[in-house]
C-alpha cells in the first residue's frame, strides 16, 4: 500500500495530536488556580511523602506535605509564561534590529554583527551564568539572560531574509511611490518574511522552557516560594530516595511538552515552507475546475495525431 505524502498539509496526525496536547497544557496552566485541588503552597504534616494515587493526592506529596499535582499544574503556568516572555524579548529586539541592519547595511550592520558573533561564540547557558553573576539571580534575571542569548540568531535570520527580499520588485515600486523606509520595512517587507520565522519562534518556546528549568534547577532562576518545573526537579532530586515520583513526574512532563513543541514546530515549518507544499492531484483539479478527464484529453490528442498521420 502506497504511503500518502503529508508534506504541505497542516493537520497531519502528528501535528493534530501534539497540538491538542499543547492546547490542553496551556488551558490547564491558564486555569491552574481553579483546576488545582489544593493550594500549591499549603503544607500538611500528616501527609508527608504520601505515595502516588493515595487518597486525595494523585501524584503524592513532597517532604512538606504539599500536593505534587497542584504544584505541577501551577508550575506549568510559570514555566510557559517565562518561555513566552523569553521569546518576546527575542522577537521585539532581534527582528527589528535584523531588519534595520539588513536594509541599511553600513557601519551599524558591521558593529552589530560583530557583537552578535562574540555573543554567539559563548554557549547560551554560560552566557546566562555571566549575566546572572552581574545582575543577580532571580526569575526576571533568568528571563532576560536567556532572552539575550536568543537574540543573535533571530537578528541574523531576519537580516539575511530582508537582504534577499529588499531586491524584490514591489520594494522598488514602494520606493518609486515615495514611501518611507520605516513603512517599507515594517509594513511591506516584514509580513513577507515573518511567516517562515514562526516555526523558529515555536521551536524556541520549547528550548526556553528547558533553559529556564535548567537555571531554576541550579537555584539561579525561579526562587521560593514560587516554583516552576525546574524547581520541582531540584526538589525531586533531593528527595529521590523518599519518593521517586517527585523527580520522575516533573521530568516526564518537561520531556512530553518539549518533544510535543518540537514536533508541532516541524509540522508548522513543513506547512509554511513553499518547497514542501504538495500540488493537488489531477482528479481534485479536474473536479474543482470542471475540465475534461485526462483520459479524454489523451484520447483527443491521440485522435489529432492519427488524423495528421492520415493526411500525410
Amino acid at each position: 500500500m502506497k504511503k500518502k505524502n503529508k508534506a504541505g498539509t497542516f493537520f497531519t496526525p502528528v501535528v493534530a495530536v501534539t497540538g491538542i496536547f499543547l492546547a490542553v497544557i496551556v488551558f490547564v496552566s491558564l486555569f491552574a488556580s481553579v483546576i488545582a485541588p489544593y493550594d500549591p503552597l499549603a503544607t500538611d504534616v500528616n501527609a508527608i511523602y504520601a505515595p502516588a494515587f493515595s487518597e486525595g493526592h494523585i501524584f503524592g506529596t513532597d517532604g512538606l506535605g504539599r500536593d505534587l499535582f497542584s504544584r505541577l499544574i501551577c508550575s506549568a503556568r510559570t514555566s510557559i509564561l517565562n518561555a513566552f516572555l523569553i521569546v518576546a524579548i527575542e522577537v521585539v529586539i532581534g527582528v527589528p534590529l535584523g531588519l534595520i541592519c539588513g536594509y541599511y547595511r553600513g557601519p551599524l550592520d558591521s558593529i552589530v554583527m560583530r557583537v552578535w558573533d562574540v555573543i554567539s561564540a559563548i554557549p547560551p547557558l554560560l552566557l546566562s551564568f555571566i549575566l546572572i553573576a552581574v545582575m543577580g539571580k532571580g526569575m526576571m534575571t533568568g528571563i532576560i539572560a536567556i532572552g539575550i542569548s536568543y537574540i543573535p540568531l533571530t537578528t541574523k535570520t531576519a537580516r539575511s531574509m530582508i537582504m534577499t527580499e529588499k531586491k524584490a520588485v514591489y520594494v522598488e515600486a514602494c520606493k518609486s511611490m515615495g514611501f518611507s523606509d520605516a513603512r517599507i520595512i515594517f509594513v511591506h517587507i516584514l509580513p513577507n518574511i515573518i511567516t517562515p520565522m514562526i516555526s523558529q519562534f515555536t521551536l524556541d518556546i520549547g528550548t526556553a522552557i528547558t533553559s529556564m528549568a535548567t537555571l531554576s534547577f541550579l537555584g539561579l532562576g525561579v526562587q521560593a516560594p514560587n516554583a516552576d518545573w525546574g524547581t520541582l526537579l531540584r526538589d525531586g532530586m533531593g528527595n529521590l530516595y523518599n519518593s521517586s515520583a517527585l523527580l520522575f513526574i516533573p521530568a516526564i512532563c518537561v520531556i512530553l511538552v518539549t518533544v510535543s513543541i518540537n514536533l508541532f514546530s516541524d509540522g508548522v515549518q513543513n506547512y509554511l515552507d513553499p518547497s514542501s507544499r504538495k500540488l493537488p492531484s489531477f482528479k481534485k483539479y479536474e473536479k474543482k475546475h470542471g475540465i475534461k478527464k485526462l483520459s479524454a484529453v489523451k484520447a483527443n490528442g491521440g485522435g489529432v495525431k492519427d488524423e495528421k498521420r492520415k493526411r500525410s
Side-chain angles (χ1 to χ4, degrees):
M1 185 175 180
K2 188 177 179 181
K3 187 178 180 180
K4 292 184 178 180
N5 182 18
K6 296 294 183 180
T9 58
F10 184 69
F11 290 105
T12 60
V14 174
V15 173
V17 172
T18 55
I20 292 173
F21 175 74
L22 293 175
V24 171
I25 294 296
V26 172
F27 177 82
V28 169
S29 64
L30 289 175
F31 299 96
S33 57
V34 178
I35 298 175
Y38 299 94
D39 184 349
L41 301 178
T43 61
D44 186 1
V45 295
N46 296 320
I48 295 176
Y49 295 125
F53 303 105
S54 60
E55 184 177 357
H57 301 286
I58 300 176
F59 294 152
T61 60
D62 61 6
L64 298 176
R66 296 174 295 188
D67 183 64
L68 179 59
F69 177 71
S70 300
R71 288 175 59 79
L72 189 67
I73 61 176
C74 290
S75 298
R77 178 170 54 190
T78 304
S79 296
I80 294 174
L81 178 61
N82 291 345
F84 275 102
L85 290 176
I86 291 169
V87 175
I89 293 174
E90 167 191 8
V91 174
V92 171
I93 298 177
V95 173
L97 192 58
L99 294 178
I100 293 172
C101 291
Y103 189 82
Y104 290 108
R105 304 298 299 275
L108 176 64
D109 177 54
S110 300
I111 294 172
V112 172
M113 288 302 105
R114 297 299 76 76
V115 172
W116 288 155
D117 288 340
V118 173
I119 293 178
S120 300
I122 305 174
L125 193 59
L126 179 59
L127 179 62
S128 301
F129 291 162
I130 296 173
L131 295 175
I132 288 173
V134 174
M135 297 185 293
K137 62 183 180 181
M139 183 175 69
M140 288 307 302
T141 304
I143 292 172
I144 295 172
I146 298 173
I148 291 175
S149 66
Y150 285 5
I151 292 175
L153 179 60
T154 302
T155 302
K156 292 182 178 181
T157 303
R159 173 181 175 270
S160 63
M161 296 184 73
I162 195 174
M163 287 174 61
T164 304
E165 195 70 18
K166 71 178 183 179
K167 300 176 183 178
V169 177
Y170 74 89
V171 176
E172 298 296 332
C174 291
K175 291 180 180 179
S176 64
M177 295 174 67
F179 291 165
S180 64
D181 291 342
R183 179 174 178 177
I184 294 173
I185 294 173
F186 296 104
V187 177
H188 298 281
I189 296 180
L190 180 58
N192 291 325
I193 68 173
I194 197 65
T195 301
M197 299 180 69
I198 292 176
S199 59
Q200 176 188 333
F201 300 148
T202 307
L203 184 63
D204 287 344
I205 292 175
T207 308
I209 290 175
T210 55
S211 298
M212 195 65 192
T214 302
L215 292 182
S216 298
F217 180 81
L218 297 174
L220 302 175
V222 178
Q223 303 295 311
N226 298 320
D228 68 345
W229 287 334
T231 57
L232 293 184
L233 291 172
R234 183 183 61 193
D235 295 341
M237 179 63 72
N239 297 283
L240 177 62
Y241 295 104
N242 296 316
S243 177
S244 59
L246 296 176
L247 175 63
F248 290 117
I249 292 178
I252 292 172
C253 185
V254 173
I255 292 171
L256 289 177
V257 171
T258 52
V259 170
S260 298
I261 291 175
N262 291 341
L263 294 176
F264 186 80
S265 176
D266 290 341
V268 172
Q269 183 177 5
N270 291 333
Y271 176 73
L272 296 177
D273 185 7
S275 63
S276 299
R277 293 297 181 90
K278 182 177 65 175
L279 294 176
S281 63
F282 188 83
K283 289 183 179 180
K284 291 183 179 179
Y285 186 83
E286 168 190 291
K287 184 177 180 181
K288 181 178 180 180
H289 297 278
I291 62 177
K292 295 180 180 180
K293 292 183 178 181
L294 181 61
S295 58
V297 174
K298 288 183 177 179
N300 291 335
V304 172
K305 290 180 181 179
D306 292 341
E307 186 67 25
K308 288 182 178 179
R309 288 176 182 176
K310 288 181 180 179
R311 288 180 182 179
S312 61

